[in-house]
Amino acid sequence: MVRSGDEPTPRGRATGGAGPVRTRERFLEGEAVEGGVRSPILGSWQRSRSLGLSPDQADLPFRTDFDPDSRLVRAATPVLDRLQSRFAGSQMNISVADARGIVLMRRFGDASMVRTLPAFQRVPGFVFAERYAGTNGIGLALAERQLIRVYGAEHFAERSQGNACRALPVRDPLSGRIEGVLCFGYPRGAENPALATVIRKAAEAVERRLLGQSSLRERALLRSYLDARADAAAGPHTRIGVDELAPELRPADRAVLLDKATELISCAQRGAVELRLSDGRRVTLVSRPTTSASGVEGIAIEAVLTGPAPRPPGAVPSRADDAVASARPAALSFLRPPRDRPVLLVPDRLHVGPVPDHRAGAAPAQGGAGRERAYPAYPAAPAGEPDLPADSRPLASGLVLVGEPTVGEYALAARRRLELLSEASARIGTTLDVRRTAEELAETAIPRLADFVTIDLPESVLRGEESADPLGELRRTVVRGIRDDLPFSPVDKRIDFGPTTPQLRCLVSGQAVLEPDLKVAAGWLAQDPELSGQLLAAVHSLITVPLVARGVVLGVASFYRSQDPAPFGDDDRSLAQELASRAALSMDNARQYTHERAMVLALQRSLLPHELPDLDAVDVAHRYLPAESDVGGDWYDVIPLSGTRVGLFVGDVVGHGMLSAATMGRLRTAARSFAELDFPPDEVLAHLDNVVGRLDREDPESEDFGIIGATCLYAVYDPITQQCAMARAGHPPPALVGPDGTVSFPDLPAGPPLGLGGLPFETAEVHLPEDSQLVLYTDGLIEDRDRDVDEVLDHLRGALAHAEHTPDEACQTVLDLVAPDHPYDDIALLVARTHAVDRNRIATWDLAADPALVGEVRADAVRQLADWGLDETAFAVELILSELVTNAVRHGAGPIRVRLLHAHNLICEVSDTSNTAPHLRRAASTDEGGRGLFLVAQLSQSWGTRYTTQGKVIWAECALDAA
């Protein structure tokens, strides 16, 4: 049994020093008193008010339908006599009430105290249940099912204001059921902390005597069975115990036999069931009623061994096989155990104390805790035993178990509770999803514990956060049951529990609350009278359990019973609490994972491009799909380059979680920087390889998490030449979709993954006609544990074979048809439809390295701008070209080429065969030159240098809205 520890004595003004008088007055006046009184007392006050009780009422109901010679009375009488002797001369009032709150017996430290009681309370029968008497020790102990203390003004009724009491439930040790309540009453000024120890020891003494009564009944049944066997005539079959049913009985076989025997006892009727041992032998368990001399009725289970055990081919017959084959009684002598060999197995859980041995002159057999008792076997079987199967050949039989059906039911229920807990370990918490874990709790509990389950969680918990106010933001999350026609509040509805409801009581106390009979549960009925009335037609008992893990309140689970006429008991409450605790731990793991995943996903998305630029070269669409289990380091990027070119990146950082997301952000930043320097793809990957290697060397956690690695694919598309230069570092090749819908996967040099170092990368060029599509993706799209890569690529080819699809439509089609339903890795997808620059928007001039030609180029450029309708930009372009061409003539090498590109902006390019690039610097006041690039930087939106195989290109980009 589990009993709560002592609660601190409440403080507050009260006559005599005990009891919150002012708090009770405020409560009766309708004021809020939370925090001013202990939660069990406040809950009882609220229930008393909901029941319509008056603090002034003095009468209590009186019942006569009780047994004055019940098991509880017989067990408690000597204990109360000792307590009366201990408290002789004091004002102590000692009472024992049954499970309905009916007082069965009383003792007084001072016999004269009886004259102070009302006449009807001087004899057994008056009722102190909470629904009649309000807040009091007996009623509250039955309601809270634990040790209770009530002081002075904590009593609801005025008549009890001068008293204090302690009350503790008394339980049947076999079933765990509350048999009654032991209560100490005394003047409120006589409080003594030692009373908690005294009442506990007294209750334990009563419970031991209850167990002794059960043991006497079990021993009487066994004695009756053995006497019947001793008087019966010897039969043709040898009687054996479980250990003798096979020469090498496996523990699993033995456990199955004992479990089935317990189940047969609980059925309480004559019958037989055949079982097959793991070695092939068949055993028939036969149940027959037996009655002790005192009238105790029970069931005896015998085992009958039938048929020989199978023998492997070529095996040498054993002595047991020969004996079975001969079927002669003498040949079965080896089955007769020696006098010290166990033959009758009776678990101590069912039989306590010695049992007489019927062998002549033998002493009673003894058994210790956790062991099994052994008793002799007898050869005779009574007439009228159940018929065995027609093909069975009885060889031997013996007693396995004997006991009362109620005890068998308890043992069977206990085993099934253990089985349910074992099953719950495997069924609850299979995913890292809070809602799914709650559903698994309900599915596990139905129908073996409850018929209906509702689970209410705060919205913040479903989002992965801790709930700031779990009592105020509950939302119905799960409704499960054996049928769907009950009027429970639907899923996603906001739930507000009233102050007297069991759900709120369990959330405040942190303990499961049991309402065995909902028809008298005032707090539950007061929550929603209309809905409660409809539910009462189907459900009759309730257990509500708080979902608490690591100090975090996650919600509340409510278990309802409907079909089983028996109400929930304390064992059911303990089982529900254990299931809820396991589920709460899994839910908290899922909540924390959801929170961490949301943080990583937010970081991941913040590090990815938010908006892609509007480009002349391509139309782009993208998708990012995080893995279900964890967020990885997949990324993509689109980078405008000089000369209307565009750089397309897609990459994947090895691993998952925050570290991978952070590494992805650092790698994407570095990749963008290298790309904007106009390096070719192979050089960009080489620089990224160095960056990854440096990150690995600098990371202090790399020794624990392994080498940081990544894969990457970088493509540069030029809309003027319609050529695409690509290089990859251990990344899947792209897909190319032609204007006619043909799909191909170019055979690019693979290259090593980033981070290995020391290995080169290669660039390959592919011609992409206008309206082609370039599809870049990470390996999460095509690699899956349950799919073949070649088959996935075929599916990808089919999904992309639609030239009419826009890039956005192509992305969605790929995710719908190709992506796995439950991706275990991130997926990044980038689709770019190519365009070509109109030749009429390109102007080119080839010059010799002659300063005299600078003026001609300026004049030709002004005329070209006029033809394009860009006269407003002529002045800026004229100055830019003048400076760039002059620098190429003075510092470069011929031939020189000048090119104007009319795109979104106007691009001026001057190329020569020299590798020397100009640099912007601050010119001193005495310098004759050095101010040209400063003018270019001021007049253009951006400018820079890119290197080619023939030399370099100096470019400047002017916004078309600039005058």
Side-chain angles (χ1 to χ4, degrees):
M1 294 184 302
V2 178
R3 297 191 178 96
S4 67
D6 290 344
E7 298 182 41
T9 302
R11 301 186 181 187
R13 183 173 59 85
T15 305
V21 174
R22 178 56 187 155
T23 303
R24 179 174 176 273
E25 293 174 355
R26 290 170 50 208
F27 173 80
L28 294 177
E29 292 170 0
E31 299 181 23
V33 295
E34 285 78 1
V37 66
R38 292 179 292 147
S39 58
I41 301 299
L42 178 58
S44 180
W45 287 356
Q46 293 170 335
R47 294 193 297 273
S48 299
R49 185 165 59 184
S50 299
L51 290 166
L53 299 179
S54 170
D56 300 324
Q57 89 179 50
D59 57 330
L60 294 174
F62 184 83
R63 303 287 293 271
T64 59
D65 57 338
F66 64 91
D67 183 2
D69 192 34
S70 64
R71 295 176 62 237
L72 179 61
V73 171
R74 295 198 303 271
T77 296
V79 177
L80 262 65
D81 290 342
R82 290 196 298 270
L83 289 173
Q84 184 179 26
S85 175
R86 173 171 182 163
F87 292 109
S90 70
Q91 298 296 303
M92 183 65 68
N93 171 11
I94 309 163
S95 305
V96 170
D98 66 12
R100 296 178 295 172
I102 301 175
V103 175
L104 302 178
M105 54 194 306
R106 296 186 109 171
R107 297 287 190 276
F108 300 95
D110 184 352
S112 63
M113 288 180 60
V114 71
R115 293 193 297 270
T116 64
L117 297 175
F120 75 96
Q121 291 190 21
R122 299 175 186 177
V123 295
F126 63 91
V127 185
F128 258 114
E130 188 183 65
R131 64 177 178 269
Y132 302 119
T135 306
N136 69 90
I138 293 175
L140 192 53
L142 289 173
E144 296 291 332
R145 311 177 80 84
Q146 60 182 341
L147 177 62
I148 287 298
R149 294 182 298 169
V150 185
Y151 296 83
E154 288 184 335
H155 289 87
F156 188 76
E158 294 285 352
R159 63 175 178 272
S160 302
Q161 299 296 293
N163 301 324
C165 63
R166 290 177 183 262
L168 179 65
V170 176
R171 302 174 186 269
D172 184 328
L174 289 178
S175 67
R177 183 181 58 206
I178 292 179
E179 292 287 328
V181 176
L182 176 63
C183 181
F184 290 176
Y186 45 89
R188 64 186 178 197
E191 171 62 28
N192 187 342
L195 290 177
T197 302
V198 175
I199 196 171
R200 282 197 177 97
K201 290 184 176 180
E204 290 170 357
V206 176
E207 290 169 351
R208 283 196 301 271
R209 293 184 59 82
L210 287 172
L211 181 61
Q213 292 182 24
S214 298
S215 303
L216 290 173
R217 297 166 66 91
E218 295 289 329
R219 289 200 299 268
L221 284 174
L222 179 61
R223 185 176 298 110
S224 175
Y225 175 86
L226 296 178
D227 288 342
R229 292 299 179 269
D231 296 338
H237 308 310
T238 300
R239 304 185 50 73
I240 62 175
V242 171
D243 284 344
E244 301 301 320
L245 289 176
E248 296 179 358
L249 187 64
R250 293 179 173 86
D253 292 335
R254 184 174 175 280
V256 168
L257 291 175
L258 289 175
D259 287 348
K260 181 57 68 173
T262 306
E263 187 173 347
L264 288 174
I265 289 177
S266 68
C267 293
Q269 60 186 1
R270 186 184 300 271
V273 61
E274 184 178 87
L275 302 175
R276 185 175 294 275
L277 302 178
S278 59
D279 64 356
R281 288 180 183 265
R282 288 174 297 163
V283 176
T284 301
L285 294 183
V286 181
S287 65
R288 59 171 54 86
T290 184
T291 304
S292 71
S294 60
V296 178
E297 296 182 352
I299 301 293
I301 308 298
E302 293 179 346
V304 179
L305 179 66
T306 57
R311 186 167 59 223
V316 178
S318 67
R319 185 157 61 105
D321 294 331
D322 293 337
V324 171
S326 63
R328 294 194 304 270
L332 292 173
S333 60
F334 81 97
L335 291 174
R336 294 191 182 95
R339 298 176 65 86
D340 60 348
R341 183 69 179 270
V343 292
L344 171 65
L345 302 178
V346 184
D348 279 336
R349 172 178 49 77
L350 300 181
H351 308 283
V352 179
V355 179
D357 192 334
H358 286 257
R359 293 176 298 181
Q366 301 293 329
R371 298 181 309 204
E372 293 168 336
R373 292 208 176 82
Y375 301 98
Y378 292 85
E385 68 179 20
D387 294 335
L388 300 177
D391 61 343
S392 298
R393 186 153 52 96
L395 300 180
S397 64
L399 180 63
V400 178
L401 267 179
V402 63
E404 289 186 86
T406 53
V407 177
E409 291 175 2
Y410 299 149
L412 189 62
R415 188 176 77 244
R416 288 176 176 170
R417 285 193 292 269
L418 289 175
E419 292 173 351
L420 182 57
L421 287 176
S422 177
E423 181 181 330
S425 299
R427 292 187 60 181
I428 299 177
T430 60
T431 66
L432 289 172
D433 180 82
V434 175
R435 188 181 294 271
R436 179 57 193 152
T437 303
E439 293 172 350
E440 289 171 344
L441 169 60
E443 293 167 358
T444 301
I446 298 171
R448 295 163 66 179
L449 172 61
D451 298 315
F452 299 92
V453 177
T454 62
I455 299 177
D456 307 307
L457 304 177
E459 296 180 28
S460 55
V461 171
L462 294 173
R463 296 193 302 266
E465 305 168 3
E466 290 191 13
S467 177
D469 182 18
L471 305 182
E473 56 170 353
L474 289 174
R475 191 169 293 276
R476 181 59 46 87
T477 306
V478 175
V479 178
R480 286 285 191 279
I482 56 177
R483 61 181 193 270
D484 300 328
D485 58 345
L486 289 189
F488 288 104
S489 298
V491 173
D492 292 332
K493 181 180 178 181
R494 178 74 175 267
I495 304 296
D496 294 312
F497 291 115
T500 63
T501 56
Q503 287 84 354
L504 192 63
R505 286 162 52 200
C506 84
L507 285 173
V508 171
S509 66
Q511 299 294 323
V513 172
L514 167 62
E515 291 287 0
D517 188 358
L518 287 176
K519 292 181 180 179
V520 298
W524 184 77
L525 294 170
Q527 169 71 10
D528 188 340
E530 181 179 355
L531 180 61
S532 301
Q534 298 175 21
L535 285 175
L536 278 178
V539 298
H540 60 79
S541 191
L542 165 68
I543 298 173
T544 180
V545 187
L547 298 170
V548 182
R550 303 183 182 97
V552 178
V553 178
L554 303 177
V556 60
S558 300
F559 302 85
Y560 296 87
R561 180 163 285 180
S562 171
Q563 288 188 330
D564 190 342
F568 283 125
D570 285 297
D571 287 337
D572 298 311
R573 180 176 64 170
S574 299
L575 177 60
Q577 181 123 15
E578 179 64 24
L579 289 176
S581 297
R582 298 188 182 195
L585 186 60
S586 297
M587 291 167 64
D588 191 51
N589 291 338
R591 181 194 64 81
Q592 294 186 33
Y593 164 77
T594 301
H595 179 65
E596 293 175 3
R597 185 175 187 273
M599 292 176 58
V600 176
L601 188 57
L603 173 63
Q604 171 87 329
R605 293 193 183 279
S606 69
L607 296 175
L608 291 174
H610 295 283
E611 293 183 3
L612 297 182
D614 187 14
L615 303 169
D616 294 308
V618 291
D619 293 331
V620 180
H622 59 91
R623 293 290 190 277
Y624 171 73
L625 184 64
E628 283 192 350
S629 59
D630 205 350
V631 179
D634 290 18
W635 56 282
Y636 58 87
D637 207 348
V638 178
I639 304 170
L641 301 177
S642 62
T644 69
R645 296 172 306 130
V646 61
L648 304 173
F649 269 112
V650 67
D652 183 5
V653 175
V654 174
H656 296 84
M658 188 75 73
L659 178 62
S660 295
T663 303
M664 177 275 291
R666 299 165 74 180
L667 193 59
R668 174 179 170 250
T669 301
R672 190 177 188 91
S673 299
F674 296 139
E676 289 178 343
L677 291 175
D678 271 321
F679 291 142
D682 57 335
E683 291 188 28
V684 170
L685 296 185
H687 287 296
L688 288 178
D689 183 59
N690 293 332
V691 170
V692 173
R694 185 176 66 254
L695 292 177
D696 183 59
R697 292 190 298 271
E698 294 175 353
D699 190 352
E701 298 181 349
S702 61
E703 295 182 359
D704 298 327
F705 292 94
I707 298 175
I708 299 173
T711 65
C712 184
L713 171 64
Y714 179 44
V716 176
Y717 174 68
D718 188 342
I720 297 177
T721 62
Q722 300 180 29
Q723 290 293 113
C724 183
M726 293 179 284
R728 62 186 180 120
H731 201 84
L736 302 181
V737 184
D740 57 354
T742 58
V743 181
S744 62
F745 298 93
D747 186 17
L748 301 180
L754 301 177
L756 295 183
L759 298 175
F761 300 94
E762 297 181 57
T763 297
E765 289 198 358
V766 179
H767 180 70
L768 294 181
E770 188 173 8
D771 289 332
S772 297
Q773 286 188 352
L774 178 62
V775 182
L776 311 181
Y777 51 88
T778 55
D779 57 3
L781 178 67
I782 61 174
E783 294 182 3
D784 188 78
R785 297 185 182 96
D786 303 321
R787 302 189 301 173
D788 182 74
V789 174
D790 292 334
E791 293 181 1
V792 176
L793 290 177
D794 289 339
H795 293 160
L796 179 59
R797 190 189 308 272
L800 293 174
H802 299 278
E804 72 281 3
H805 282 179
T806 65
D808 191 74
E809 292 172 343
C811 282
Q812 194 59 47
T813 301
V814 169
L815 291 185
D816 292 342
L817 301 181
V818 183
D821 295 331
H822 304 284
Y824 73 94
D825 195 7
D826 291 17
I827 297 175
L829 178 64
L830 191 66
V831 177
R833 181 185 292 276
T834 63
H835 298 302
V837 176
D838 188 351
R839 292 295 176 180
N840 294 325
R841 289 176 170 261
I842 304 174
T844 305
W845 297 273
D846 292 322
L847 307 175
D850 184 357
L853 299 177
V854 174
E856 297 181 9
V857 171
R858 291 167 56 186
D860 292 341
V862 170
R863 285 192 295 269
Q864 183 63 60
L865 293 175
D867 292 341
W868 287 341
L870 302 177
D871 297 306
E872 294 180 350
T873 63
F875 176 75
V877 171
E878 190 174 4
L879 290 179
I880 290 173
L881 284 179
S882 178
E883 179 60 33
L884 294 182
V885 173
T886 300
N887 280 343
V889 170
R890 288 183 178 180
H891 307 292
I896 299 172
R897 170 169 290 188
V898 177
R899 186 170 70 174
L900 293 182
L901 301 176
H902 179 196
H904 279 83
N905 294 328
L906 185 66
I907 302 171
C908 306
E909 294 182 346
V910 177
S911 60
D912 61 70
T913 58
S914 171
N915 290 324
T916 303
H919 297 282
L920 183 65
R921 65 182 178 85
R922 181 177 297 277
S925 58
T926 57
D927 292 342
E928 294 184 1
R931 298 174 179 83
L933 287 181
F934 178 78
L935 291 175
V936 171
Q938 295 299 311
L939 293 173
S940 63
Q941 192 175 38
S942 59
W943 73 281
T945 303
R946 71 172 181 269
Y947 294 92
T948 65
T949 55
Q950 294 81 24
K952 68 176 183 297
V953 177
I954 310 297
W955 58 270
E957 187 171 337
C958 298
L960 293 181
D961 56 354

